[in-house]
Amino acid sequence: MDNMAGTIPERDWKIMKMASQNLLETFYKRINQQAIAILKEDTSSEHEKYLKLSQLMQNSNRMIGECFDDWRRSKLIVRLLALQHHGLLSPDLVDQLTEETQKTLKAFEEIRKEA
């Protein structure tokens, strides 16, 4: 299975390259909604809100790096696994990928569930 070694079929690379900006926008939207929810909390002080927002941004920056930094074909399987882990890969998008890549994603998801 080539995907386990890190390579991904050209077809999948093209699909994901086209989808990457929408995936990133979806992720930004999620972060912004979480920030709004924090700011609207009635039970938290302004300082507590600030600390929660700071933590959200630190975690979000880490996740964005895991999912989108160094976006190239040789690193794409790792990015796909991170996108999957963070709930950004929709079933419709996964269905567009080759069977080989789908099997790799499913295998890693099973390993993660068992861990």
Side-chain angles (χ1 to χ4, degrees):
M1 188 181 291
D2 286 340
N3 284 356
M4 294 288 194
T7 61
I8 192 163
E10 179 75 18
R11 175 177 167 248
D12 293 342
W13 165 244
K14 288 178 180 179
I15 290 168
M16 292 308 301
K17 189 170 183 180
M18 288 178 47
S20 65
Q21 194 58 41
N22 286 337
L23 290 169
L24 188 55
E25 282 297 312
T26 298
F27 196 64
Y28 287 145
K29 183 176 182 176
R30 182 192 299 174
I31 295 164
N32 290 337
Q33 289 171 337
Q34 291 171 339
I36 290 167
I38 290 169
L39 292 172
K40 287 184 175 182
E41 289 178 0
D42 291 334
T43 58
S44 295
S45 71
E46 294 303 314
H47 182 247
E48 289 169 333
K49 290 177 188 180
Y50 169 80
L51 293 175
K52 289 178 183 180
L53 283 173
S54 178
Q55 187 65 46
L56 173 65
M57 295 313 298
Q58 287 177 354
N59 291 338
S60 298
N61 285 337
R62 180 184 47 77
M63 289 188 284
I64 288 169
E66 289 173 6
C67 294
F68 297 101
D69 282 0
D70 202 17
W71 191 269
R72 54 188 164 148
R73 186 175 171 195
S74 64
K75 303 278 185 174
L76 191 58
I77 196 64
V78 175
R79 302 296 164 250
L80 284 171
L81 294 169
L83 289 165
Q84 177 178 269
H85 176 71
H86 294 297
L88 290 168
L89 280 184
S90 69
D92 289 340
L93 184 55
V94 173
D95 286 346
Q96 294 177 43
L97 302 174
T98 60
E99 185 177 336
E100 178 183 5
T101 299
Q102 289 180 35
K103 285 181 183 178
T104 300
L105 290 172
K106 187 176 279 190
F108 276 100
E109 183 62 20
E110 290 301 319
I111 291 168
R112 190 181 69 79
K113 285 180 183 177
E114 291 175 7

